[in-house]
Structures are given as structure tokens and as C-alpha cells.
């Protein structure tokens, strides 16, 4: 991994950790203030709502302006949201902070992924750089929740005090500023020119490619697994009397496992097609979702979290590799925006559904239903085949 890629990954870690820490701390504060599971589901859905509407414009913006201009706007929005949450830790303000940090992280992810993908020259390098880049969210999903949990438990006069929550929110406000320090010296790549004489295409024309359609479906199913895990673990932990540190540790164990599998992924998949890797991961996920609700304690929940992280952590680099092989260079930002919009449409509505379904059938039913969906969708992943690559420069 070269120095430039390391800077981009560090920047991504800082910005994503800000959102991840807020996404763990804000629901716990809402529960402590007496809000229901349905209200918590609404709060969590707002982290994806801005991304749902901004993903396509953010992708086109990145296609036109490259990396640093989108990143400046993203850092400003994330800092604004988290500073507001620190100053006024009230449920409506937490909702606004979720909108701002979620949108900022999504738009920054598109710009970073587009930049990294365009800097590669072949399929092997695509897998390698996206495996490294995918470590960023995995690491930040450990750092953000775990650090926020420690501050909530220990920064105030007592565990779970408002001072502790404010300290956690203040940390999430500082992290985006560090993100900009790491990315500001990255040189821009030349803009990709459209194909001469080609008719203007709509975003939905990208879905005419069968591989792209399957990628969207598979990615949505697997994104639902991340959503249900993020939503249910705090509820399950709160129900069982676990501390904020324990809940953060369980979520952090998932993130560490996802990062570890990505470290060795290029070598493990050197002779394996992306579709095979995704299919195996979906099958393992379905089994783990059947077992997770039966785990009686924090250590056993942590074990399931680790195994689930290993399975789901292997998926994103494979999907991103296939997406960049399938999409023309001058529309890669747009394609990344379409992907993000699709999965965040799920992230907006699924937590609302989780909150309603959790009250109706309990957390076990949620795990089993999503696991069944993922197991059933493995056939689409198996149908993925290599695509003829477009030029990327």
C-alpha cells in the first residue's frame, strides 16, 4: 500500500468513525431519555436519509470536480452536525446531526471510491485497493463506537451521564477535521472524458447491464444485514442490561473482524471469481443470523459478531471491483451514487420496519427474517459472471 492510499484510508477512517460513534451514542441517549424502539429506529434511519437523496448528485459532482472539493463540503457538514449534538443533546437535534453526518459520510465515500478506482490499471489491482479501502469503515466502526462508549461510561461523574454523552459527541466533532488534514494534499486525477458522439444517458440506463442489476440486489440484501445488526445489538444489549462499553465492544468486534478479513482478501481471492466469494459470504451470513438471537451473553454475542464480520467484510471489495469493471470511467461516480442510493433507501426504511417488527415479533424474528432473505438471494450472487472491463482513464 502506497503513501497516498494510506492517507486516503486514514481520512476515511476519521470521517466514518465520527458517524459511527454518533450512530452508537445517539440511540443510547434516546433510550435513556425514554424514547421507544420505534423512535430509535427513526433516528437510525436518518443517517441514511440524506444519502438517499444526495447520492446521485454527489456522484455526478465527483465526476465533475474530483476528490477535494466534495471532501471540503463533507467535512463542513459533519462538523456542523456533531457540534450541534454536543451543544444541545436533545432528540430533535440528534436527528438533525444524523442527517448531516450521514450525508457527509456518504458523499465523501463516493468521492474516495471513485478516486481510488480510477487510479488502478487492472482487475487484480482493483481488488487490492478496494480491499485496503474497505478496511477504513471496518476500523472506524470499531474506533467510533468503542471510543464513544468509553467516554459515555467514564467521562462524566457517573456512567451514562449527560456529560459523558457530550464528551462522546465532542469526539465525533473533532474527527472530521482530522479527515481533511489527511486528504488535502492528495493530487487530483485528470477528468474522464465522455465517449465522443455518445447520446446523453440517464442514470437508470446503467441498470440495463444484467451484472449491474444483480450487484444492486445483492448489495441491498447484504446492506440490510449491516443495518439489522447495527439496530438490534444496542436494543438487545439494553434489554439484557449490558453497559455502553460492552455494546460498543460487540459492535467493535464485528468491525475488527471485517477489517482483518480484508487484509488477506486479495491473496485469498486471487484465483476466485467475485461471485463465488459473495455467494459463500451470503450463505454463512444466513446461518449466523439464525444463531445470533440464541446467544445468551456478551461474550457469545461477541463471537457471533466476529464471525458475521468475517463473512460480511469480504463482500464490499468484491462488489466494488465488479462495479468498476462494469461501468464506463466517465460515469463511475454516478454508478457509485446509484449504488449508495439503493442501499440507503433500505437504510432509511428498514430501521423503521425493524422498530415496528421488533415490537411485534421481537429481535429473534428480525434476525431470522433477514437471514432468510439473504440465504434466498445467494442464487443471484452465484449468477454473477466476469464483465468485459471498460477503460478507466
Amino acid at each position: 500500500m502506497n503513501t497516498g492510499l494510506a492517507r486516503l484510508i486514514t481520512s476515511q477512517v476519521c470521517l466514518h468513525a465520527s458517524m459511527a460513534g454518533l450512530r452508537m451514542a445517539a440511540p443510547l441517549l434516546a433510550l435513556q431519555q425514554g424514547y421507544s424502539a420505534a423512535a430509535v429506529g427513526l433516528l437510525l434511519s436518518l443517517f441514511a436519509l440524506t444519502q438517499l437523496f444526495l447520492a446521485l448528485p454527489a456522484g455526478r459532482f465527483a465526476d465533475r470536480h474530483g476528490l477535494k472539493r466534495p471532501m471540503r463540503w463533507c467535512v463542513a457538514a459533519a462538523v456542523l452536525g456533531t457540534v450541534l449534538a454536543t451543544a444541545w443533546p436533545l432528540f430533535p437535534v440528534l436527528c438533525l446531526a444524523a442527517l448531516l453526518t450521514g450525508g457527509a459520510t456518504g458523499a465523501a465515500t463516493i468521492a474516495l471510491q471513485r478516486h481510488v478506482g480510477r487510479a488502478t490499471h487492472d482487475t487484480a489491482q482493483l481488488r487490492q485497493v478496494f480491499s485496503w479501502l474497505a478496511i477504513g469503515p471496518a476500523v472506524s466502526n470499531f474506533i467510533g463506537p468503542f471510543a464513544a462508549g468509553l467516554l459515555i461510561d467514564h467521562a462524566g461523574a457517573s456512567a451514562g451521564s449527560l456529560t459523558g454523552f457530550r464528551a462522546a459527541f465532542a469526539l465525533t466533532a473533532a474527527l472530521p477535521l482530522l479527515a481533511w488534514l489527511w486528504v488535502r494534499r492528495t493530487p487530483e486525477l485528470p477528468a474522464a472524458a465522455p465517449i465522443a458522439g455518445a447520446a446523453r444517458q440517464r442514470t437508470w440506463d446503467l441498470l440495463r447491464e444484467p451484472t449491474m442489476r444483480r450487484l444492486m440486489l445483492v448489495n441491498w440484501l447484504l446492506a440490510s444485514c449491516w443495518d439489522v445488526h447495527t439496530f438490534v445489538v444496542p436494543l438487545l444489549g439494553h434489554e439484557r442490561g449490558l453497559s455502553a462499553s460492552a455494546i460498543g465492544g460487540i459492535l467493535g468486534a464485528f468491525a475488527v473482524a471485517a477489517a482483518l478479513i480484508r487484509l488477506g482478501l486479495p491473496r485469498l481471492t486471487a484465483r476466485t471469481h467475485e461471485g463465488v466469494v459473495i455467494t459463500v459470504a451470503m450463505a454463512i451470513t444466513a446461518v449466523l443470523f439464525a444463531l445470533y438471537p440464541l446467544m445468551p451473553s456478551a461474550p457469545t454475542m461477541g463471537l457471533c459478531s466476529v464471525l458475521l464480520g468475517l463473512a460480511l467484510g469480504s463482500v464490499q471489495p468484491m462488489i466494488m471491483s465488479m462495479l468498476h469493471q462494469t461501468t464506463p470511467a466517465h460515469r463511475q461516480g454516478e454508478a457509485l451514487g446509484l449504488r449508495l442510493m439503493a442501499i440507503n433507501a433500505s437504510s432509511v426504511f428498514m430501521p423503521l420496519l425493524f422498530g415496528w417488527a421488533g415490537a411485534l415479533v421481537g429481535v429473534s424474528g428480525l434476525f431470522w427474517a433477514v437471514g432468510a432473505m439473504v440465504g434466498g438471494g445467494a442464487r443471484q450472487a452465484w449468477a454473477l459472471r466476469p464483465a468485459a472491463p471498460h477503460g478507466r482513464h
Side-chain angles (χ1 to χ4, degrees):
M1 180 169 57
N2 59 41
T3 304
L5 181 58
R7 285 199 303 267
L8 293 177
I9 292 172
T10 305
S11 176
Q12 183 186 32
V13 166
C14 292
L15 189 57
H16 199 279
S18 174
M19 184 191 71
L22 183 67
R23 192 171 54 193
M24 189 279 264
L28 288 179
L29 181 57
L31 289 169
Q32 182 176 293
Q33 292 174 344
Y35 287 91
S36 66
V40 171
L42 170 64
L43 174 60
L44 284 172
S45 73
L46 295 178
F47 282 94
L49 182 62
T50 320
Q51 297 182 42
L52 173 61
F53 292 104
L54 288 183
L56 283 175
R60 298 188 189 106
F61 191 78
D63 280 333
R64 292 194 303 270
H65 299 290
L67 175 66
K68 287 190 282 189
R69 189 171 175 183
M71 285 295 294
R72 282 196 296 268
W73 283 104
C74 293
V75 167
V79 170
L80 175 60
T82 48
V83 165
L84 290 174
T86 306
W88 297 284
L90 306 171
F91 188 78
V93 179
L94 295 178
C95 291
L96 176 60
L99 288 169
L100 288 169
T101 57
T105 304
T109 297
I110 291 171
L112 285 165
Q113 289 173 341
R114 176 187 175 277
H115 182 90
V116 169
R118 292 194 63 240
T120 62
H121 302 283
D122 54 47
T123 301
Q125 196 177 19
L126 266 176
R127 292 184 183 183
Q128 185 176 46
V129 298
F130 278 117
S131 294
W132 282 109
L133 190 64
I135 293 171
V139 172
S140 61
N141 279 333
F142 170 74
I143 293 174
F146 187 66
L150 288 177
L151 289 171
I152 291 167
D153 282 344
H154 301 294
S158 60
S161 68
L162 187 58
T163 301
F165 278 102
R166 277 191 161 135
F169 296 149
L171 173 67
T172 65
L175 288 169
L177 297 174
L178 295 176
W180 174 247
L181 291 178
W182 285 105
V183 80
R184 65 191 179 95
R185 294 185 179 178
T186 301
E188 293 282 7
L189 295 173
I195 299 173
R200 180 178 176 84
Q201 293 181 302
R202 298 171 300 173
T203 298
W204 303 111
D205 292 336
L206 291 169
L207 295 176
R208 291 180 178 176
E209 169 60 49
T211 301
M212 187 70 169
R213 289 198 301 271
R214 292 191 181 100
L215 282 172
M216 292 296 104
L217 176 60
V218 167
N219 204 70
W220 172 75
L221 288 170
L222 293 165
S224 296
C225 296
W226 290 74
D227 290 336
V228 75
H229 188 256
T230 301
F231 175 77
V232 170
V233 166
L235 290 179
L236 194 59
H238 181 75
E239 180 182 288
R240 295 178 180 178
L242 301 181
S243 67
S245 298
I247 295 170
I250 292 169
L251 293 174
F254 174 90
V256 169
L260 289 176
I261 192 64
R262 288 165 178 173
L263 286 172
L265 199 57
R267 181 171 296 180
L268 292 172
T269 61
R271 298 182 181 180
T272 307
H273 182 247
E274 291 92 337
V276 176
V277 177
I278 297 170
T279 302
V280 172
M282 293 179 79
I284 293 173
T285 298
V287 173
L288 289 171
F289 265 53
L291 298 175
Y292 208 123
L294 307 178
M295 299 297 105
S297 63
T300 54
M301 288 173 64
L303 175 61
C304 258
S305 188
V306 167
L307 296 175
L308 191 62
L310 292 173
L312 292 178
S314 66
V315 171
Q316 183 181 331
M318 300 297 100
I319 290 177
M320 297 305 299
S321 173
M322 292 201 71
L323 186 145
H324 275 77
Q325 294 173 57
T326 305
T327 310
H330 68 284
R331 302 191 72 188
Q332 284 176 353
E334 191 176 6
L336 289 166
L338 178 62
R339 169 188 169 270
L340 192 65
M341 186 186 73
I343 63 177
N344 281 288
S346 168
S347 294
V348 169
F349 297 110
M350 293 302 276
L352 297 175
L353 178 61
F354 296 157
W356 174 80
L360 185 65
V361 301
V363 294
S364 297
L366 283 177
F367 271 115
W368 294 333
V370 176
M373 288 169 52
V374 172
R379 182 177 178 181
Q380 291 297 321
W382 186 255
L384 292 171
R385 290 291 182 267
H390 293 271
R392 287 193 299 280
H393 297 287

